[in-house]
Amino acid sequence: MSSFKSFEEILSWQKAREFNKIIYEITNGTSFTKDIDLSRQIRRASVSISSNIAEGFERNTDKEFVHFLHIAKASAGEVRSQLYLAYDLEYISHNEFENLIFLISEISKLISGFIKYLQK
């Protein structure tokens, strides 16, 4: 098992938590009010990242933790895809899109690195 004492110490969880707040702030904007389905879906996918990191950690085995990290990483991909749609529909600006893509890609890379670490 990892050397962390709690999931709150894990950098990818911390970054995902910050990302969740940004997603909620953006989806509360007027552009998303006309598309409640996309707003809910991107929120669920975003929250799934931090939730799966936490749940996997609490399972107390590397094998299960890695499984949940894979789910978290897949949710990051889902968010990334939804950001493209939000951008294409002009719900977010180019600058918001670029920033969000950067942040979610960083989270995904951190999760990948953690998976590799735990599988060694």
Side-chain angles (χ1 to χ4, degrees):
M1 192 65 195
S2 70
S3 60
F4 297 106
K5 292 184 174 119
S6 71
F7 65 81
E8 292 93 343
E9 297 176 36
I10 300 169
L11 183 58
S12 55
W13 181 86
Q14 294 168 4
K15 297 278 185 183
R17 177 184 175 205
E18 293 167 7
F19 187 80
N20 290 337
K21 184 178 179 194
I22 295 167
I23 288 296
Y24 268 76
E25 289 170 349
I26 286 174
T27 56
N28 277 333
T30 56
S31 297
F32 274 91
T33 58
K34 58 188 170 190
D35 195 338
I36 294 169
D37 290 336
L38 181 59
S39 176
R40 287 179 180 162
Q41 186 61 30
I42 198 167
R43 285 177 173 192
R44 279 193 301 271
S46 178
V47 170
S48 175
I49 300 166
S50 55
S51 296
N52 277 291
I53 294 168
E55 184 173 353
F57 180 85
E58 294 295 330
R59 296 291 180 122
N60 289 322
T61 69
D62 283 350
K63 183 177 180 180
E64 285 190 280
F65 194 10
V66 167
H67 171 74
F68 280 89
L69 288 173
H70 279 290
I71 295 169
K73 187 172 179 341
S75 293
E78 182 179 353
V79 169
R80 203 165 63 247
S81 179
Q82 292 160 354
L83 288 172
Y84 278 96
L85 178 58
Y87 177 68
D88 292 344
L89 295 173
E90 299 180 359
Y91 295 172
I92 56 177
S93 70
H94 181 74
N95 287 342
E96 287 173 317
F97 173 75
E98 291 293 324
N99 183 51
L100 291 167
I101 289 292
F102 174 80
L103 293 172
I104 197 63
S105 297
E106 179 183 28
I107 292 165
S108 186
K109 288 175 189 173
L110 286 168
I111 295 169
S112 289
F114 202 20
I115 290 168
K116 289 175 185 170
Y117 167 78
L118 290 172
Q119 288 179 328
K120 287 185 178 180

